[in-house]
Amino acid sequence: MAETPCSDLSKAEEILGRYPQEEPALIQVLQDVHRAYNYLPCDVLERVAEALEVPLAKVFSVSTFYKAFSLEPQGDTIVKVCTGTACHIRGAGQLVEELERQLGVGPDETTEDFKFTVKTVNCVGACAMAPLVIVGEKYFGSAKPARVSKYLTEGGADEN
Amino acid sequence: MRIESRDQFEALRKQSLEIETNRKQQVLVCCGTGCLASGSKEVAEAFADEIAKRSIDATVDLFVKSTGCHGFCERGPLVVLNPQGILYTKVKAGRVEEIVEKTLVGGEVIPGLLYKDPVSGERVEQYEEVPFYRHQVRVAMRNIGRIDPTDILDAIAQGSYSGVAKVLFEMSPHEVIGEVATSGQRGRGGAGFNTARKWQSCKDAPGERCYVLCNGDEGDPGAFKDRSIMEGDPHSVLEGMIIGAYAVQANEGWIYVRDEYPLAVVNLTIAIREARKYGLLGENIMGSGFDFDIKISRGGGAFVCGESSALMRSLEGKTGEPRAKYVHSTDKGLFDLPTVLNNVETWAGIGAIIERGGAWFASMGTERSKGTKAFSLVGKVKNTGLIELPMGTTLRHIIYDIGGGILKDRPFKAVQTGGPSGGCVPEELLDLPVDYEELTEAGSMMGSGGMIVMDDRTCMVDVSRFFLAFLEEESCGKCTPCREGLKQMLHVYGRIIAGKGQAGDLELIEKLAAGMQLGSLCELGKSAPNPVLSTLRYFRSEYEAHISDHACPAGVCRELTAFEIVEDGCDGCHLCYKACPVDAITGVVKELHVIDHEACISCGACLDVCPTDTIRTFPKHELEKAEVV
Ligand SMILES: Cc1cc2nc3c(=O)[nH]c(=O)nc-3n(C[C@H](O)[C@H](O)[C@H](O)COP(=O)(O)O)c2cc1C
Ligand code: FES
């Protein structure tokens, strides 16, 4: 899934139609755009800026401020490792390393085949199950480095 | 369906309660984030299938209910059987048929599924007798685990929205604030500001409109009480907000929910939709003439957006940069209008305060901190999960009586409270009664109630560095002391954990800390040095060991630590061999295993799995010495 030079703007129009055309809607619009396109394509951001009458610079500033947004295309499945405090002291670091060994990419990177994007998150609120790996929508509690490849197949499979 | 009067509401409540009590056999399956991760959805489905099968021969009248988080996430999936009051832990879908057959039909308890007390080793049958629950007093979490969060009638049966009926038809806004003032409740989001006083300031502030907001950003890593409340009992949050809105006469409200909490967003959305349908939100609530509606806003995943002024900027669609504190949000908050912002747990407690009276709430807790407080007890403790206790409970009671003590019975080292703005409390202070002031005096903070227990295998230098790295990434960068201070401090920590610390480094850290406390714009920067200063205060010798002896006493800092297997302890179980990610361990089953120091990356994976505790850490430089000889 390489970046196409021009994005299909009809999805963006549909999203914009759901909100009042003003600045307070910006973050909500960007969240929906992110979900629809799996990242924030530049040409869509230009359209959003125009529609909400917000300077493009401001749209970029918001897009880069919040962690939930990516300006790069993402893999089909997002693999998150919780590196919050509870997970950290129960060995989350080893999980990040194991993923790097298996997928060849570190946090905030995407595999060449666009199958996986690895991310670290600060606590997903399931600290009692620390450490956690989340593959797609599937949570794996008390995660162990030795089981990482299993998590990837199980969680990745759900997406398709 | 829309409730048009108080009588209609009372009638609906009575009706819901009757349905609830007439359900003979109930199976409550916890479907919070923790239990879902352990497969509770499959368990609930298996029960539903089993009922469908059984209803053909009609031997049992079963009712399965998915509830919010019971708090005991580590033992999940949890299943509670009522009216028997039996708690089964770690239930897998494969055992559902057996449970229905033996316990529900046969009336027989399955010992293997009962909770085993790690202290006494005994099996505990009754939910209420499990020490983890027995010591708790639940106010904000009163309905969690008892109701189906997606069923508003279930919540109403348990008393939700009764507080709304009471204030709308019996009390003036002034009286509502008075009742909350009597309770003495202080904000549960961190700073502990008096709730009633905040509401009063907002009410007194000039402005054509005002807003009521709920802070569900819960950014402190290691805390998840707000998640559990929003997921497990969203109605208590809505009820609190309606009451607060009536008190300050606001007509619009927002709940700002963390991006990482998808289930909370789903359950809140359902709750709001249902409440609107029944006329408990929207125009003319319960026919009282009062209008109030709530919208949900999903956060963008920035820790600083939990700070009140940053949160309001984010709601306005802007980047979440805080404002200087002299502007009070009760005067000029969202869109520069008077605004009340309270934490999820604060709001969840309001309905109970109105229902049972401020005096009841104030009868619990300590002199300066009233009521109960929710905590997430996590880390190296046997029973991890969510608890609610009266303020003033000691740390020792929490960690040993409720938490069951330290994992593998290792020595306790410290408990971290207050998240990245808090600090580490050492063993000497285990008898500290937990309230806002006591924690602050100990150099830590209440924060949002995260309690992360640490044992002797936790390095305090590493933990402090962890928080600094977290804050460096989350600092919004608007003010220099915070942005640059964190960077420089992290730089010094980097060399300490690499064994390249210099004389004077600790003093340098303290100087940087003082500068940040004085000069930062918002609380993020002002409180960022807390984890650093508290560990320096209680664990200075550990820092010194890193700097002068090039040793990490806890055996965590990789560049300073080497591992070896003690000869006469190893029984050749081969677990370390399998755990080693770089194949640095050799050995065959039932024989002594050996670690190759050249290949070892000091990750500690072997030590974590060793059942006989025979892997030893020692300073890496001793290895070099040995080679020279
Ligand atoms: C950096 C920073 C992060 C914060 N994060 C949160 C948070 O996640 N949740 C929260 O309720 N309060 C948080 N607060 C505290 C809020 O600013 C505010 O005091 C609180 O929401 C008020 O509600 P309360 O009075 O009910 O506690 C944070 C404060 C700071 C400085
Ligand atoms: S720290 Fe990982 S889930 Fe909370």
Side-chain angles (χ1 to χ4, degrees):
Chain A
M1 197 186 73
E3 188 177 2
T4 38
C6 271
S7 310
D8 166 17
L9 285 177
S10 65
K11 281 192 278 183
E13 296 301 342
E14 197 255 318
I15 291 166
L16 284 164
R18 281 186 239 148
Y19 294 93
Q21 309 288 295
E22 55 191 28
E23 188 178 352
L26 179 59
I27 293 176
Q28 312 287 322
V29 168
L30 292 181
Q31 277 167 339
D32 289 359
V33 167
H34 203 278
R35 211 166 317 136
Y37 295 85
N38 214 8
Y39 76 112
L40 299 178
C42 278
D43 45 1
V44 176
L45 291 184
E46 281 168 16
R47 175 67 196 112
V48 169
E50 184 189 40
L52 302 186
E53 292 180 31
V54 179
L56 186 59
K58 229 170 181 173
V59 175
F60 269 101
S61 140
V62 169
S63 308
T64 50
F65 183 86
Y66 294 102
K67 261 187 143 172
F69 300 134
S70 166
L71 293 172
E72 302 283 328
Q74 312 256 302
D76 299 337
T77 305
I78 310 285
V79 184
K80 294 182 190 156
V81 182
C82 176
T83 48
T85 325
C87 291
H88 173 76
I89 68 165
R90 282 202 181 183
Q94 292 177 24
L95 294 166
V96 178
E97 285 174 14
E98 186 57 33
L99 272 172
E100 196 154 357
R101 267 190 290 271
Q102 301 226 354
L103 296 176
V105 293
D108 291 325
E109 288 173 2
T110 302
T111 54
E112 264 176 32
D113 58 5
F114 279 96
K115 267 203 170 126
F116 295 104
T117 296
V118 177
K119 289 194 169 174
T120 56
V121 289
N122 292 315
C123 193
V124 292
C127 323
M129 320 279 300
L132 272 110
V133 174
I134 301 133
V135 183
E137 312 257 286
K138 228 173 142 100
Y139 288 63
F140 298 95
S142 307
K144 305 216 166 33
R147 289 205 210 125
V148 160
S149 61
K150 199 179 129 227
Y151 303 151
L152 289 177
T153 21
E154 270 183 35
D158 264 20
E159 297 285 294
N160 307 314
Chain B
M1 177 148 346
R2 230 191 111 85
I3 298 164
E4 305 280 2
S5 68
R6 188 170 189 184
D7 289 342
Q8 279 182 14
F9 174 76
E10 297 301 343
L12 183 70
R13 176 168 181 196
K14 216 166 134 230
Q15 192 192 341
S16 313
L17 198 59
E18 269 163 27
I19 298 173
E20 183 67 20
T21 31
N22 285 339
R23 281 172 182 154
K24 286 189 196 73
Q25 181 63 61
Q26 287 198 26
V27 179
L28 308 184
V29 184
C30 176
C31 285
T33 297
C35 280
L36 282 177
S38 328
S40 69
K41 193 158 157 255
E42 290 75 23
V43 175
E45 282 164 6
F47 269 110
D49 285 350
E50 199 56 30
I51 305 171
K53 256 201 292 185
R54 300 269 165 179
S55 63
I56 302 166
D57 58 10
T59 44
V60 273
D61 171 21
L62 263 178
F63 179 73
V64 185
K65 186 149 94 175
S66 308
T67 68
C69 180
H70 288 249
F72 210 4
C73 319
E74 196 208 358
R75 305 270 163 174
L78 299 177
V79 173
V80 179
L81 305 173
N82 278 336
Q84 297 92 330
I86 297 174
L87 169 73
Y88 283 152
T89 61
K90 301 203 174 179
V91 178
K92 296 279 171 232
R95 305 209 53 178
V96 165
E97 200 184 331
E98 185 191 350
I99 297 175
V100 174
E101 182 64 38
K102 284 197 181 147
T103 312
L104 297 183
V105 180
E108 181 193 330
V109 174
I110 306 168
L113 288 173
L114 293 176
Y115 169 70
K116 191 168 158 203
D117 185 356
V119 183
S120 65
E122 276 168 33
R123 300 259 174 205
V124 188
E125 188 179 309
Q126 293 290 309
Y127 182 85
E128 275 157 18
E129 286 306 307
V130 174
F132 185 80
Y133 293 114
R134 197 175 62 216
H135 297 286
Q136 296 194 37
V137 182
R138 293 188 160 196
V139 175
M141 305 198 319
R142 59 195 176 278
N143 290 333
I144 303 182
R146 298 171 60 204
I147 63 163
D148 177 347
T150 59
D151 181 359
I152 194 169
L153 295 179
D154 201 18
I156 290 175
Q158 295 294 342
S160 295
Y161 300 102
S162 295
V164 173
K166 188 166 170 182
V167 298
L168 292 183
F169 295 103
E170 282 176 30
M171 298 168 84
S172 69
H174 180 72
E175 283 167 333
V176 175
I177 296 181
E179 197 63 48
V180 176
T182 309
S183 78
Q185 192 210 38
R186 294 167 65 176
R188 265 48 176 155
F193 194 81
N194 183 288
T195 308
R197 210 173 315 148
K198 188 186 286 184
W199 293 9
Q200 189 67 51
S201 315
C202 175
K203 190 158 176 279
D204 294 342
E208 80 249 36
R209 269 171 295 138
C210 63
Y211 299 106
V212 166
L213 312 180
C214 172
N215 191 340
D217 200 44
E218 198 165 57
D220 288 8
F224 57 100
K225 62 172 179 85
D226 294 342
R227 170 185 70 71
S228 301
I229 295 172
M230 291 185 284
E231 278 178 11
D233 185 14
H235 295 287
S236 67
V237 181
L238 304 189
E239 175 171 22
M241 289 180 75
I242 300 169
I243 295 170
Y246 175 72
V248 301
Q249 292 290 302
N251 305 115
E252 279 175 84
W254 271 271
I255 306 178
Y256 190 87
V257 191
R258 237 184 126 204
D259 193 45
E260 284 84 0
Y261 289 176
L263 187 59
V265 173
V266 171
N267 287 2
L268 280 168
T269 308
I270 297 173
I272 290 175
R273 199 176 55 216
E274 292 264 287
R276 280 190 195 134
K277 200 168 79 185
Y278 281 92
L280 300 169
L281 268 183
E283 278 171 26
N284 194 12
I285 295 176
M286 292 191 203
S288 67
F290 176 65
D291 308 333
F292 177 65
D293 208 349
I294 298 175
K295 289 195 199 106
I296 296 177
S297 177
R298 283 167 51 235
F303 172 69
V304 72
C305 286
E307 196 274 342
S308 60
S309 59
L311 184 146
M312 291 170 199
R313 298 298 82 73
S314 183
L315 276 176
E316 291 166 2
K318 304 191 172 100
T319 53
E321 288 174 10
R323 277 187 187 170
K325 257 290 176 227
Y326 61 84
V327 195
H328 289 288
S329 57
T330 45
D331 292 331
K332 277 178 186 280
L334 186 64
F335 302 116
D336 273 342
L337 287 163
T339 305
V340 164
L341 170 73
N342 279 120
N343 170 259
V344 170
E345 186 191 346
T346 314
W347 286 124
I350 294 294
I353 289 173
I354 293 298
E355 266 287 276
R356 305 186 63 173
W360 159 78
F361 190 82
S363 70
M364 297 177 284
T366 62
E367 189 54 40
R368 292 170 295 182
S369 307
K370 301 294 183 198
T372 56
K373 175 82 188 82
F375 297 100
S376 22
L377 183 63
V378 297
K380 309 272 185 85
V381 60
K382 283 180 189 160
N383 298 328
T384 55
L386 201 63
I387 54 178
E388 186 169 348
L389 296 161
M391 291 275 191
T393 309
T394 66
L395 285 170
R396 189 183 298 282
H397 182 66
I398 296 175
I399 295 166
Y400 286 91
D401 297 332
I402 298 171
I406 310 302
L407 269 184
K408 297 189 185 166
D409 290 317
R410 299 193 71 95
F412 168 85
K413 187 166 186 176
V415 54
Q416 207 280 340
T417 70
S421 325
C424 293
V425 182
E427 194 179 2
E428 307 91 271
L429 296 178
L430 267 180
D431 290 309
L432 187 90
V434 177
D435 73 8
Y436 293 99
E437 279 74 21
E438 295 279 353
L439 281 175
T440 308
E441 275 157 34
S444 188
M445 243 183 76
M446 182 71 85
S448 51
M451 276 196 181
I452 300 140
V453 179
M454 298 169 181
D455 65 1
D456 62 336
R457 281 272 297 143
T458 317
C459 169
M460 300 322 267
V461 183
D462 172 70
V463 166
S464 308
R465 196 185 90 100
F466 165 81
F467 282 118
L468 287 176
F470 172 88
L471 290 165
E472 189 222 17
E473 195 175 313
E474 296 294 343
S475 164
C476 75
K478 183 168 169 175
C479 75
T480 319
C482 172
R483 186 184 64 233
E484 297 303 324
L486 283 164
K487 223 180 188 61
Q488 295 311 320
M489 233 192 245
L490 206 52
H491 181 69
V492 180
Y493 268 80
R495 69 178 179 234
I496 295 179
I497 63 156
K500 300 195 177 95
Q502 301 161 4
D505 271 357
L506 300 186
E507 291 71 22
L508 181 60
I509 291 174
E510 280 163 341
K511 238 171 147 174
L512 282 166
M516 291 173 66
Q517 284 175 324
L518 272 175
S520 298
L521 180 71
C522 85
E523 278 308 311
L524 188 145
K526 280 193 212 300
S527 63
N530 286 357
V532 165
L533 294 175
S534 76
T535 48
L536 271 173
R537 173 165 158 195
Y538 298 117
F539 302 95
R540 203 173 184 99
S541 61
E542 199 167 334
Y543 279 87
E544 282 159 357
H546 282 74
I547 298 175
S548 342
D549 310 337
H550 304 292
C552 172
V556 172
C557 296
R558 292 190 179 187
E559 288 173 64
L560 303 180
T561 307
F563 291 73
E564 72 177 358
I565 300 173
V566 184
E567 252 176 62
D568 48 2
C570 176
D571 60 4
C573 72
H574 212 50
L575 285 178
C576 58
Y577 176 92
K578 286 189 208 145
C580 180
V582 291
D583 299 327
I585 299 183
T586 47
V588 288
V589 181
K590 293 209 174 139
E591 276 175 31
L592 174 68
H593 284 52
V594 179
I595 300 176
D596 172 7
H597 297 303
E598 285 285 305
C600 176
I601 54 167
S602 298
C603 71
C606 52
L607 200 145
D608 290 340
V609 296
C610 180
T612 51
D613 215 8
T614 44
I615 297 178
R616 180 181 89 89
T617 62
F618 61 96
K620 217 173 211 168
H621 60 78
E622 286 178 16
L623 217 78
E624 284 146 29
K625 250 187 266 157
E627 271 161 22
V628 175
V629 177

